[in-house]
Amino acid sequence: ETCNSLSNHAEDKLINKETESRSLAYTPELKASLDIRPGIIKQVLKLVKTLESQPEGASVEENGLTITYFQKRNWSQNFKVASLGETYFVRKELGRGTGHKAMGSFAEAQRRIGDRNDVRLIDSQLGYTDNQGNDYFVAKWENLPVMADYLSQDLSDTEREEIAEKLGFVYDTLADYKDVTTSNMFYDPEHKQVVLFDLEKEDLS
């Protein structure tokens, strides 16, 4: 097994571990949280499995851990995981194999965005992919409206122009990324920030 570090946030390093059968990347912050509660990953995976066949909105609670199945998309099942005062977004990929790749995609996007304060990324924490079809992406939970929904509201011309300028920057900066759309980003109206949550780039060289 090889282990190296990739740039994640400016102040952090992303720990990357790869073998022939699996690829894993995670933040030191997440590792510290997991160390506080050993065995939580197995517990989460077990509970996710029990929810997969349930309708959207189904929830399960066990030993201080609460998981809600809040959304099914074309290529993923999405869960909200709350434990020890922390809340996470967990995406189980369905056949794309992009859980681990997403972490590299986010790191590259962060480098391009730089210090711009009106565009940011969700706080990605872990990506995992193996040759058994297991494929996960984990980030800090964001309680924000999806951009497409926000834009469907009655907004002032000034606000629409401000958002359009931000979106223009995103589309130009991430032109070689897949599916950079208003359905794959949030908007934070309080801080006037575009928040990207679903990024995919095949060639990270």
Side-chain angles (χ1 to χ4, degrees):
E1 180 177 80
T2 61
C3 177
N4 65 323
S5 293
L6 300 172
S7 174
N8 185 24
H9 307 294
E11 69 278 10
D12 294 332
K13 290 293 183 180
L14 184 65
I15 302 165
N16 194 64
K17 297 182 178 181
E18 297 188 59
T19 68
E20 291 184 358
S21 60
R22 70 184 183 100
S23 299
L24 171 67
Y26 56 93
T27 65
E29 179 185 0
L30 182 66
K31 183 180 185 301
S33 296
L34 296 176
D35 287 345
I36 295 173
R37 188 165 179 177
I40 191 172
I41 288 183
K42 289 184 178 179
Q43 186 183 6
V44 168
L45 294 177
K46 182 189 75 172
L47 295 179
V48 162
K49 188 172 182 179
T50 67
L51 285 173
E52 285 180 316
S53 60
Q54 302 296 313
E56 291 180 348
S59 183
V60 62
E61 186 174 350
E62 181 180 287
N63 297 326
L65 179 67
T66 303
I67 302 182
T68 302
Y69 181 13
F70 75 91
Q71 184 185 52
K72 183 174 183 178
R73 304 186 79 184
N74 290 337
W75 296 103
S76 68
Q77 293 173 307
N78 298 326
F79 302 86
K80 180 180 181 180
V81 177
S83 174
L84 297 178
E86 296 282 355
T87 307
Y88 296 93
F89 164 83
V90 175
R91 183 175 72 218
K92 182 176 183 179
E93 299 282 4
L94 302 175
R96 291 197 304 174
T98 58
H100 177 256
K101 289 179 183 178
M103 298 298 281
S105 296
F106 271 81
E108 171 62 22
Q110 183 61 63
R111 284 190 283 269
R112 296 185 190 185
I113 292 169
D115 295 330
R116 184 159 175 149
N117 61 15
D118 58 357
V119 177
R120 67 177 176 86
L121 309 174
I122 57 168
D123 194 346
S124 54
Q125 293 286 309
L126 179 146
Y128 177 83
T129 304
D130 65 26
N131 61 6
Q132 302 297 313
N134 298 302
D135 200 8
Y136 292 91
F137 173 76
V138 177
K140 290 288 188 70
W141 181 263
E142 296 267 8
N143 190 26
L144 295 170
V146 173
M147 177 67 86
D149 295 335
Y150 188 80
L151 291 174
S152 69
Q153 301 179 93
D154 185 15
L155 307 176
S156 69
D157 290 343
T158 299
E159 185 172 14
R160 287 192 182 277
E161 289 171 2
E162 290 174 350
I163 292 174
E165 190 278 328
K166 297 174 177 63
L167 291 176
F169 168 79
V170 170
Y171 295 144
D172 289 344
T173 303
L174 304 178
D176 53 341
Y177 275 66
K178 293 183 178 180
D179 297 330
V180 180
T181 71
T182 55
S183 295
N184 285 333
M185 60 183 77
F186 296 122
Y187 189 63
D188 182 343
E190 180 181 354
H191 301 99
K192 298 185 177 182
Q193 291 177 322
V194 176
V195 184
L196 303 169
F197 64 79
D198 193 354
L199 294 175
E200 183 180 350
K201 188 177 188 300
E202 289 294 332
D203 181 9
L204 291 170
S205 59

